[in-house]
Amino acid sequence: MSGLFLHCRAGFEKECAAEIQQRGGETGAAGFCRAQPHSGFVVYEAGGPDDARRLVETLRFDTLIFARQWFVVLERNSALPGDDRVTAMVEGLKGLPEPAGDLFVEHPDTNEGKALSRLCKALRGPLKGALSKAGLLAADTAIRIHVCLLDGTDAYMGYVPVVNSSPWPMGIAHLRLPRAAPSRATLKLDEALLQLLPARERDRLLQPGMRAVDLGAAPGGWTWQLVRRHLRVIAVDNGAMAPALLESGLVEHRRADGFGFQPPSPVDWMVCDMVEQPMRIARLAARWIGLGWCRHTIFNLKLPMKQRYQEVRRCLDAIAAELQTAGVRYRLACKQLYHDREEVTVYLERTA
Ligand SMILES: C[S@@+](CC[C@H](N)C(=O)[O-])C[C@H]1O[C@@H](n2cnc3c(N)ncnc32)[C@H](O)[C@@H]1O
Protein backbone atom coordinates (compact mmCIF):
# COMPACT_ATOMS: atom_id res chain seq x y z
CA MET A 1 0.00 0.00 0.00
CA SER A 2 1.01 3.63 -0.36
CA GLY A 3 -0.09 5.62 2.60
CA LEU A 4 0.76 7.66 5.64
CA PHE A 5 0.26 6.70 9.25
CA LEU A 6 -0.39 9.71 11.50
CA HIS A 7 -0.50 9.62 15.30
CA CYS A 8 -2.86 12.11 16.92
CA ARG A 9 -4.63 12.75 20.21
CA ALA A 10 -7.45 10.21 20.72
CA GLY A 11 -10.70 11.97 19.84
CA PHE A 12 -9.04 14.24 17.25
CA GLU A 13 -8.89 11.74 14.37
CA LYS A 14 -11.44 13.75 12.35
CA GLU A 15 -9.36 16.91 12.66
CA CYS A 16 -6.11 15.12 11.82
CA ALA A 17 -7.78 13.53 8.78
CA ALA A 18 -9.33 16.79 7.56
CA GLU A 19 -5.97 18.51 7.87
CA ILE A 20 -3.88 15.94 6.00
CA GLN A 21 -6.55 15.66 3.34
CA GLN A 22 -6.55 19.42 2.81
CA ARG A 23 -2.78 19.89 3.01
CA GLY A 24 -2.17 16.84 0.81
CA GLY A 25 -4.68 18.18 -1.71
CA GLU A 26 -2.80 21.48 -1.85
CA THR A 27 0.31 19.60 -3.00
CA GLY A 28 -1.67 17.80 -5.71
CA ALA A 29 -1.92 14.45 -3.88
CA ALA A 30 -5.24 12.67 -4.10
CA GLY A 31 -5.99 10.37 -1.21
CA PHE A 32 -8.55 9.52 1.43
CA CYS A 33 -8.39 8.84 5.14
CA ARG A 34 -9.36 5.93 7.32
CA ALA A 35 -10.01 7.23 10.79
CA GLN A 36 -11.71 5.34 13.60
CA PRO A 37 -13.02 7.61 16.38
CA HIS A 38 -10.82 7.47 19.52
CA SER A 39 -8.23 5.20 17.88
CA GLY A 40 -5.42 7.77 18.27
CA PHE A 41 -4.35 7.52 14.63
CA VAL A 42 -5.32 8.18 11.04
CA VAL A 43 -4.26 6.34 7.91
CA TYR A 44 -4.12 8.40 4.74
CA GLU A 45 -4.35 6.16 1.70
CA ALA A 46 -2.50 7.93 -1.07
CA GLY A 47 -3.79 7.77 -4.64
CA GLY A 48 -0.54 7.01 -6.50
CA PRO A 49 2.23 4.62 -5.44
CA ASP A 50 4.70 7.44 -4.74
CA ASP A 51 2.23 9.97 -3.29
CA ALA A 52 2.91 9.12 0.35
CA ARG A 53 6.67 9.42 -0.07
CA ARG A 54 6.23 12.69 -1.97
CA LEU A 55 4.02 14.04 0.83
CA VAL A 56 6.63 13.49 3.57
CA GLU A 57 9.17 15.11 1.27
CA THR A 58 7.05 18.17 0.42
CA LEU A 59 4.86 18.88 3.45
CA ARG A 60 6.70 20.21 6.48
CA PHE A 61 5.77 18.14 9.51
CA ASP A 62 6.06 21.14 11.82
CA THR A 63 3.27 22.88 9.88
CA LEU A 64 0.77 20.12 10.70
CA ILE A 65 -1.37 20.98 13.71
CA PHE A 66 -3.03 17.72 14.69
CA ALA A 67 -0.44 15.11 13.67
CA ARG A 68 1.93 14.25 16.51
CA GLN A 69 4.09 11.91 14.44
CA TRP A 70 3.87 10.38 10.99
CA PHE A 71 5.50 7.83 8.68
CA VAL A 72 5.19 6.40 5.19
CA VAL A 73 3.55 2.98 5.39
CA LEU A 74 5.35 0.16 3.59
CA GLU A 75 3.15 -2.60 4.89
CA ARG A 76 0.39 -3.47 7.28
CA ASN A 77 0.57 -7.00 8.59
CA SER A 78 -2.57 -8.08 10.45
CA ALA A 79 -1.43 -11.67 10.91
CA LEU A 80 1.88 -11.38 12.73
CA PRO A 81 2.77 -14.82 14.13
CA GLY A 82 2.84 -14.59 17.93
CA ASP A 83 5.96 -16.77 18.12
CA ASP A 84 8.02 -14.76 15.59
CA ARG A 85 6.81 -11.27 14.91
CA VAL A 86 10.33 -10.05 14.20
CA THR A 87 10.86 -12.05 10.98
CA ALA A 88 7.52 -10.85 9.60
CA MET A 89 8.38 -7.27 10.49
CA VAL A 90 11.76 -7.42 8.77
CA GLU A 91 10.02 -8.84 5.71
CA GLY A 92 7.54 -5.93 5.76
CA LEU A 93 10.36 -3.42 5.88
CA LYS A 94 12.30 -4.74 2.91
CA GLY A 95 10.92 -1.96 0.72
CA LEU A 96 12.87 0.75 2.61
CA PRO A 97 14.40 3.26 0.14
CA GLU A 98 17.73 3.06 2.02
CA PRO A 99 18.96 1.65 5.34
CA ALA A 100 17.60 3.51 8.38
CA GLY A 101 19.54 5.00 11.28
CA ASP A 102 17.05 4.32 14.06
CA LEU A 103 13.91 2.42 14.99
CA PHE A 104 10.78 3.47 16.92
CA VAL A 105 8.41 0.72 18.05
CA GLU A 106 5.17 2.49 18.91
CA HIS A 107 1.49 2.05 19.74
CA PRO A 108 -1.44 4.46 19.49
CA ASP A 109 -1.80 6.77 22.48
CA THR A 110 -4.99 5.17 23.84
CA ASN A 111 -5.68 2.98 26.86
CA GLU A 112 -5.65 -0.14 24.66
CA GLY A 113 -2.48 1.10 23.02
CA LYS A 114 -0.74 1.64 26.36
CA ALA A 115 -1.32 -2.02 27.19
CA LEU A 116 1.10 -2.78 24.31
CA SER A 117 3.97 -0.69 25.63
CA ARG A 118 5.75 -3.66 27.27
CA LEU A 119 5.54 -5.66 24.08
CA CYS A 120 6.89 -2.66 22.13
CA LYS A 121 9.85 -2.40 24.49
CA ALA A 122 10.48 -6.14 24.34
CA LEU A 123 10.42 -6.19 20.54
CA ARG A 124 12.78 -3.27 19.98
CA GLY A 125 16.09 -5.04 20.77
CA PRO A 126 15.47 -8.24 18.78
CA LEU A 127 13.98 -6.27 15.88
CA LYS A 128 16.98 -3.96 15.81
CA GLY A 129 19.30 -6.94 15.70
CA ALA A 130 17.36 -8.62 12.90
CA LEU A 131 17.14 -5.39 10.87
CA SER A 132 20.90 -4.88 11.18
CA LYS A 133 21.52 -8.42 10.04
CA ALA A 134 19.27 -7.82 7.03
CA GLY A 135 21.24 -4.66 6.16
CA LEU A 136 18.25 -2.42 6.88
CA LEU A 137 19.89 -0.46 9.72
CA ALA A 138 23.05 1.61 9.40
CA ALA A 139 24.67 4.50 11.23
CA ASP A 140 23.90 8.15 10.42
CA THR A 141 21.28 7.81 7.73
CA ALA A 142 18.45 10.21 6.93
CA ILE A 143 15.49 7.95 7.70
CA ARG A 144 14.02 6.22 10.75
CA ILE A 145 11.97 3.03 10.82
CA HIS A 146 8.57 3.07 12.53
CA VAL A 147 6.58 0.05 13.60
CA CYS A 148 3.21 0.78 15.19
CA LEU A 149 1.47 -2.12 16.90
CA LEU A 150 -2.33 -2.05 16.98
CA ASP A 151 -2.42 -5.33 18.88
CA GLY A 152 -0.18 -8.35 19.33
CA THR A 153 -0.74 -9.53 15.75
CA ASP A 154 -1.35 -6.34 13.82
CA ALA A 155 1.17 -3.62 12.93
CA TYR A 156 1.86 -0.85 10.47
CA MET A 157 5.47 -0.61 9.32
CA GLY A 158 7.30 2.12 7.47
CA TYR A 159 9.79 4.94 7.62
CA VAL A 160 10.10 8.72 7.81
CA PRO A 161 12.82 11.28 7.06
CA VAL A 162 14.27 12.11 10.49
CA VAL A 163 14.44 15.87 9.88
CA ASN A 164 10.79 16.01 8.87
CA SER A 165 9.24 14.24 11.84
CA SER A 166 8.91 14.49 15.60
CA PRO A 167 12.08 13.45 17.48
CA TRP A 168 9.98 11.48 19.99
CA PRO A 169 8.24 8.10 19.62
CA MET A 170 4.54 8.76 18.93
CA GLY A 171 5.45 12.46 18.99
CA ILE A 172 5.15 12.51 22.78
CA ALA A 173 7.49 14.72 24.76
CA HIS A 174 7.45 13.18 28.23
CA LEU A 175 8.05 15.98 30.72
CA ARG A 176 8.19 15.63 34.47
CA LEU A 177 5.86 17.82 36.53
CA PRO A 178 8.19 19.90 38.71
CA ARG A 179 7.21 19.68 42.40
CA ALA A 180 7.38 23.41 42.90
CA ALA A 181 5.13 24.27 39.96
CA PRO A 182 1.75 25.66 41.08
CA SER A 183 -0.33 23.76 38.49
CA ARG A 184 -0.20 20.92 35.95
CA ALA A 185 -0.83 23.52 33.24
CA THR A 186 2.86 24.38 33.63
CA LEU A 187 3.65 21.39 31.38
CA LYS A 188 1.77 22.96 28.48
CA LEU A 189 4.06 25.97 28.35
CA ASP A 190 7.13 23.83 29.00
CA GLU A 191 6.22 21.62 26.04
CA ALA A 192 5.25 24.61 23.87
CA LEU A 193 8.68 26.15 24.38
CA LEU A 194 10.26 22.82 23.49
CA GLN A 195 8.10 22.05 20.45
CA LEU A 196 7.32 25.43 18.95
CA LEU A 197 10.58 27.37 19.34
CA PRO A 198 13.34 26.28 16.97
CA ALA A 199 15.95 24.49 19.15
CA ARG A 200 18.86 26.55 17.92
CA GLU A 201 17.02 29.79 18.80
CA ARG A 202 15.52 28.83 22.16
CA ASP A 203 18.23 30.37 24.33
CA ARG A 204 18.23 33.60 22.36
CA LEU A 205 14.45 33.90 22.54
CA LEU A 206 14.25 33.29 26.30
CA GLN A 207 16.96 35.21 28.04
CA PRO A 208 17.27 36.04 31.74
CA GLY A 209 16.04 39.55 32.39
CA MET A 210 13.51 39.55 29.53
CA ARG A 211 10.06 40.90 30.39
CA ALA A 212 6.80 39.02 30.01
CA VAL A 213 3.07 39.37 30.60
CA ASP A 214 0.99 36.30 31.52
CA LEU A 215 -2.73 36.84 30.79
CA GLY A 216 -4.94 34.49 32.83
CA ALA A 217 -1.97 33.58 34.99
CA ALA A 218 -3.48 32.10 38.18
CA PRO A 219 -2.40 30.02 39.98
CA GLY A 220 0.89 30.47 38.12
CA GLY A 221 2.05 27.36 36.26
CA TRP A 222 2.98 29.31 33.13
CA THR A 223 4.45 32.21 35.12
CA TRP A 224 6.53 29.63 36.98
CA GLN A 225 8.10 28.45 33.70
CA LEU A 226 9.06 32.02 32.83
CA VAL A 227 10.41 32.75 36.32
CA ARG A 228 12.38 29.51 36.18
CA ARG A 229 14.13 30.99 33.14
CA HIS A 230 14.69 34.25 35.08
CA LEU A 231 12.21 36.41 33.15
CA ARG A 232 10.32 39.21 34.95
CA VAL A 233 6.57 38.64 34.71
CA ILE A 234 3.43 40.75 35.09
CA ALA A 235 0.80 38.14 36.00
CA VAL A 236 -2.72 39.32 35.08
CA ASP A 237 -5.62 37.49 36.71
CA ASN A 238 -8.36 38.19 39.23
CA GLY A 239 -7.55 34.85 40.83
CA ALA A 240 -4.85 34.24 43.44
CA MET A 241 -1.25 33.54 42.45
CA ALA A 242 0.89 30.98 44.30
CA PRO A 243 2.57 32.90 47.16
CA ALA A 244 6.03 31.41 46.44
CA LEU A 245 5.96 32.98 42.99
CA LEU A 246 5.16 36.40 44.39
CA GLU A 247 8.04 36.01 46.84
CA SER A 248 10.48 35.36 43.96
CA GLY A 249 10.74 39.10 43.40
CA LEU A 250 10.28 38.52 39.67
CA VAL A 251 6.47 38.58 39.59
CA GLU A 252 4.06 41.50 39.78
CA HIS A 253 0.43 40.43 40.19
CA ARG A 254 -2.25 42.64 38.59
CA ARG A 255 -5.87 41.85 39.33
CA ALA A 256 -7.28 42.98 36.00
CA ASP A 257 -9.13 41.87 32.88
CA GLY A 258 -6.74 40.28 30.39
CA PHE A 259 -8.63 41.76 27.45
CA GLY A 260 -8.34 45.31 28.75
CA PHE A 261 -4.76 45.12 30.03
CA GLN A 262 -2.08 47.14 28.27
CA PRO A 263 1.58 46.77 29.28
CA PRO A 264 3.17 49.97 30.64
CA SER A 265 5.85 49.54 27.95
CA PRO A 266 6.52 46.89 25.27
CA VAL A 267 7.59 43.51 26.58
CA ASP A 268 9.45 40.59 25.05
CA TRP A 269 6.75 38.00 25.69
CA MET A 270 3.02 37.71 26.19
CA VAL A 271 1.59 34.31 27.13
CA CYS A 272 -2.10 33.61 27.49
CA ASP A 273 -4.02 30.63 28.86
CA MET A 274 -7.40 32.33 29.42
CA VAL A 275 -10.39 30.07 28.85
CA GLU A 276 -12.26 32.06 26.22
CA GLN A 277 -13.66 31.83 22.71
CA PRO A 278 -10.73 30.99 20.43
CA MET A 279 -11.42 33.84 18.02
CA ARG A 280 -11.29 36.41 20.87
CA ILE A 281 -7.91 35.04 21.96
CA ALA A 282 -6.58 34.96 18.38
CA ARG A 283 -7.54 38.58 17.83
CA LEU A 284 -6.06 39.60 21.18
CA ALA A 285 -2.72 37.97 20.32
CA ALA A 286 -2.71 39.54 16.85
CA ARG A 287 -3.35 42.94 18.47
CA TRP A 288 -0.43 42.56 20.91
CA ILE A 289 1.91 41.60 18.06
CA GLY A 290 0.45 44.13 15.61
CA LEU A 291 0.75 47.04 18.04
CA GLY A 292 4.24 45.97 19.07
CA TRP A 293 3.21 45.39 22.71
CA CYS A 294 5.22 42.16 22.60
CA ARG A 295 7.65 40.50 20.24
CA HIS A 296 6.69 36.88 20.97
CA THR A 297 3.52 35.26 22.17
CA ILE A 298 2.36 31.77 23.08
CA PHE A 299 -1.34 31.21 23.59
CA ASN A 300 -3.92 28.46 23.74
CA LEU A 301 -6.98 28.26 21.55
CA LYS A 302 -9.61 26.28 23.46
CA LEU A 303 -11.64 24.44 20.86
CA PRO A 304 -15.39 24.01 20.66
CA MET A 305 -16.79 20.49 20.33
CA LYS A 306 -17.68 20.77 16.64
CA GLN A 307 -15.76 21.88 13.55
CA ARG A 308 -12.54 22.11 15.51
CA TYR A 309 -10.18 22.01 12.53
CA GLN A 310 -12.22 24.68 10.72
CA GLU A 311 -12.25 26.83 13.85
CA VAL A 312 -8.46 26.70 14.19
CA ARG A 313 -8.08 27.61 10.50
CA ARG A 314 -10.52 30.52 10.93
CA CYS A 315 -8.49 31.81 13.89
CA LEU A 316 -5.15 31.50 12.06
CA ASP A 317 -6.64 33.20 8.98
CA ALA A 318 -7.90 36.06 11.17
CA ILE A 319 -4.40 36.53 12.63
CA ALA A 320 -2.91 36.53 9.14
CA ALA A 321 -5.45 39.08 7.89
CA GLU A 322 -4.96 41.39 10.87
CA LEU A 323 -1.16 41.35 10.65
CA GLN A 324 -1.20 41.75 6.89
CA THR A 325 -3.39 44.83 7.23
CA ALA A 326 -0.99 46.18 9.85
CA GLY A 327 1.96 45.50 7.52
CA VAL A 328 3.61 43.31 10.16
CA ARG A 329 5.76 40.33 9.22
CA TYR A 330 5.54 37.33 11.47
CA ARG A 331 6.22 33.67 11.97
CA LEU A 332 3.58 31.35 13.34
CA ALA A 333 3.58 27.75 14.56
CA CYS A 334 0.50 25.92 15.80
CA LYS A 335 0.34 22.44 17.29
CA GLN A 336 -1.86 20.28 19.41
CA LEU A 337 0.67 19.39 22.08
CA TYR A 338 0.71 16.18 24.09
CA HIS A 339 -0.24 18.19 27.19
CA ASP A 340 -3.07 20.01 25.38
CA ARG A 341 -6.55 18.66 25.85
CA GLU A 342 -9.43 20.19 23.85
CA GLU A 343 -7.13 22.91 22.59
CA VAL A 344 -4.14 23.80 20.43
CA THR A 345 -1.16 26.00 21.22
CA VAL A 346 0.15 28.79 19.02
CA TYR A 347 3.52 30.54 18.88
CA LEU A 348 3.53 33.89 17.10
CA GLU A 349 6.60 36.07 16.60
CA ARG A 350 6.88 39.52 15.09
CA THR A 351 9.82 39.31 12.72
CA ALA A 352 9.74 42.87 11.32
C1 LIG B 1 -6.57 27.65 32.73
S1 LIG B 1 -6.41 28.86 33.93
C2 LIG B 1 -4.76 29.38 33.77
C3 LIG B 1 -3.78 28.44 34.37
C4 LIG B 1 -2.38 29.02 34.36
N1 LIG B 1 -1.89 29.18 32.99
C5 LIG B 1 -1.44 28.13 35.11
O1 LIG B 1 -0.52 27.58 34.49
O2 LIG B 1 -1.56 28.00 36.33
C6 LIG B 1 -7.28 30.20 33.23
C7 LIG B 1 -7.19 31.47 34.05
O3 LIG B 1 -7.66 32.52 33.21
C8 LIG B 1 -8.26 33.46 34.06
N2 LIG B 1 -9.11 34.32 33.23
C9 LIG B 1 -10.20 33.97 32.49
N3 LIG B 1 -10.70 35.05 31.87
C10 LIG B 1 -9.89 36.09 32.21
C11 LIG B 1 -9.88 37.47 31.87
N4 LIG B 1 -10.79 38.00 31.07
N5 LIG B 1 -8.89 38.23 32.40
C12 LIG B 1 -7.95 37.74 33.22
N6 LIG B 1 -7.93 36.43 33.57
C13 LIG B 1 -8.89 35.63 33.07
C14 LIG B 1 -8.99 32.64 35.09
O4 LIG B 1 -9.18 33.41 36.28
C15 LIG B 1 -8.04 31.48 35.30
O5 LIG B 1 -7.22 31.71 36.44
Side-chain angles (χ1 to χ4, degrees):
M1 72 177 279
S2 169
L4 287 179
F5 185 102
L6 302 105
H7 287 273
C8 65
R9 182 178 179 82
F12 281 79
E13 297 79 12
K14 233 172 52 183
E15 287 70 22
C16 185
E19 182 178 30
I20 193 66
Q21 195 108 30
Q22 182 187 345
R23 297 293 311 281
E26 287 164 6
T27 71
F32 66 94
C33 285
R34 294 183 194 282
Q36 298 260 3
H38 300 283
S39 61
F41 69 93
V42 166
V43 175
Y44 174 86
E45 301 242 5
D50 286 332
D51 277 3
R53 180 182 53 75
R54 222 174 298 123
L55 270 187
V56 293
E57 286 169 5
T58 13
L59 271 184
R60 272 182 45 196
F61 175 73
D62 61 4
T63 64
L64 293 175
I65 299 166
F66 291 98
R68 283 184 184 167
Q69 180 63 286
W70 66 348
F71 60 89
V72 176
V73 177
L74 291 173
E75 185 176 279
R76 176 184 185 177
N77 188 335
S78 308
L80 293 170
D83 57 350
D84 186 9
R85 297 177 180 92
V86 165
T87 305
M89 286 175 175
V90 172
E91 203 52 43
L93 288 162
K94 288 218 162 124
L96 281 181
E98 57 181 299
D102 199 4
L103 160 70
F104 284 175
V105 184
E106 308 172 306
H107 55 77
D109 182 30
T110 57
N111 287 338
E112 303 79 60
K114 281 177 194 140
L116 294 163
S117 75
R118 279 177 68 179
L119 178 58
C120 291
K121 278 193 195 118
L123 278 171
R124 190 165 184 274
L127 183 54
K128 241 183 139 171
L131 287 166
S132 292
K133 227 174 177 178
L136 297 175
L137 272 186
D140 297 332
T141 71
I143 63 169
R144 184 199 303 123
I145 291 174
H146 284 250
V147 170
C148 184
L149 287 176
L150 302 188
D151 63 40
T153 59
D154 195 357
Y156 281 90
M157 289 158 262
Y159 71 94
V160 75
V162 175
V163 293
N164 200 25
S165 63
S166 164
W168 303 290
M170 295 138 65
I172 297 178
H174 286 285
L175 300 171
R176 203 173 307 136
L177 180 65
R179 273 170 184 239
S183 64
R184 272 200 78 78
T186 199
L187 292 174
K188 278 194 293 184
L189 185 59
D190 202 12
E191 186 185 353
L193 297 172
L194 192 63
Q195 290 240 31
L196 303 179
L197 303 190
R200 60 186 181 287
E201 293 179 45
R202 214 170 286 134
D203 289 348
R204 181 180 63 77
L205 297 179
L206 281 166
Q207 289 179 38
M210 280 183 161
R211 295 166 59 237
V213 170
D214 183 354
L215 300 178
W222 285 31
T223 293
W224 188 88
Q225 288 294 341
L226 299 170
V227 166
R228 180 182 156 197
R229 293 168 173 85
H230 311 288
L231 276 75
R232 308 182 72 83
V233 185
I234 301 178
V236 180
D237 201 306
N238 277 316
M241 293 293 288
L245 269 178
L246 300 178
E247 285 157 19
S248 70
L250 290 173
V251 180
E252 180 189 334
H253 184 193
R254 298 269 186 96
R255 291 186 187 272
D257 176 14
F259 288 96
F261 180 81
Q262 180 177 346
S265 57
V267 293
D268 302 289
W269 280 89
M270 183 275 276
V271 296
C272 173
D273 189 23
M274 293 191 289
V275 183
E276 249 297 341
Q277 285 176 28
M279 187 56 87
R280 273 197 90 190
I281 300 290
R283 289 195 195 288
L284 180 71
R287 180 148 56 93
W288 274 69
I289 289 287
L291 293 173
W293 289 359
C294 66
R295 180 83 194 269
H296 312 270
T297 172
I298 285 181
F299 54 93
N300 265 172
L301 299 176
K302 318 277 177 191
L303 299 178
M305 284 315 287
K306 293 211 168 111
Q307 305 284 314
R308 295 181 292 198
Y309 175 58
Q310 288 79 356
E311 185 64 23
V312 175
R313 289 254 52 104
R314 254 173 26 90
C315 290
L316 300 185
D317 288 349
I319 291 171
E322 194 146 331
L323 293 181
Q324 206 166 359
T325 307
V328 169
R329 292 175 58 182
Y330 65 95
R331 139 167 96 164
L332 183 145
C334 175
K335 199 91 194 156
Q336 185 171 44
L337 305 174
Y338 174 63
H339 294 95
D340 280 338
R341 289 172 176 263
E342 309 289 311
E343 61 204 329
V344 295
T345 302
V346 184
Y347 168 62
L348 182 60
E349 175 188 2
R350 183 181 175 122
T351 53

